[in-house]
Amino acid sequence: DVGVALPVAVQESAALGEALHRVMEWATGPGGMASDLDSLAAAAAQMYGLEPKRQQALLTHARAILQSPACQPVLHGEALVWAGNEVPVVGRGGEDLRIDRLVCVRRDDGQRIWWVLDYKLNESPDRVPEYLQQISGYREAVMAMQPGEEVRTAFINGAGALIDCTAVLPS
């Protein structure tokens, strides 16, 4: 690929984002290792070449997400019926997509809700049109796989906020 090199700050931010995705995958996957968050962050930092300052930021973001009361139902909640990380799906045009986290939660009334979750370091990812377009494509793919079931979407930002963006997406 020939092109202009990305500025170092953009490259470092992308590496931090990728490392966060990896830590969240490890911490919330089968046999999740969230209790060993320091080791997970160190391993991901080494994998993505993060300097100590970025490694500390990674640990801060991961801890904020994993300890967030708003995120508990979709990360470790008792109502989880099914959960997967880095879930491959096929988009409208046949393209391969990968959802950061996909969960099925059973509500108190017994109904199931699918949540398409996307980790973003950005404080307000719901204000970025490209992110909304991306998560909308994920939602369409899940709706095709789970016809008739409710499919909601949310971003989880680096501060641990769960930002439901279902209402702003096309139906």
Side-chain angles (χ1 to χ4, degrees), residues 48-158:
Y48 291 95
L50 300 181
E51 58 171 56
K53 181 179 173 185
R54 292 270 181 187
Q55 180 178 338
Q56 186 57 47
L58 171 61
L59 187 58
T60 298
H61 292 307
R63 194 169 278 135
I65 293 168
L66 289 166
Q67 294 176 354
S68 165
C71 294
Q72 289 308 302
V74 296
L75 296 178
H76 318 287
E78 292 178 19
L80 282 181
V81 174
W82 186 89
N85 293 309
E86 299 298 323
V87 178
V89 295
V90 177
R92 182 185 319 157
E95 69 275 20
D96 292 328
L97 304 174
R98 195 164 288 279
I99 299 172
D100 293 347
R101 184 156 175 86
L102 177 64
V103 300
C104 183
V105 177
R106 186 168 314 279
R107 296 188 322 201
D108 291 339
D109 65 4
Q111 296 295 315
R112 294 172 10 145
I113 300 174
W114 288 90
W115 279 96
V116 173
L117 304 163
D118 198 21
Y119 300 114
K120 298 291 186 197
L121 290 173
N122 184 313
E123 183 177 317
S124 301
D126 56 320
R127 295 186 183 161
V128 179
E130 293 83 12
Y131 293 167
L132 290 171
Q133 183 177 357
Q134 177 187 37
I135 205 166
S136 178
Y138 296 159
R139 181 174 185 237
E140 285 179 21
V142 174
M143 289 172 71
M145 294 183 319
Q146 302 298 330
E149 295 202 37
E150 184 176 356
V151 179
R152 301 192 62 83
T153 56
F155 294 108
I156 297 176
N157 74 11

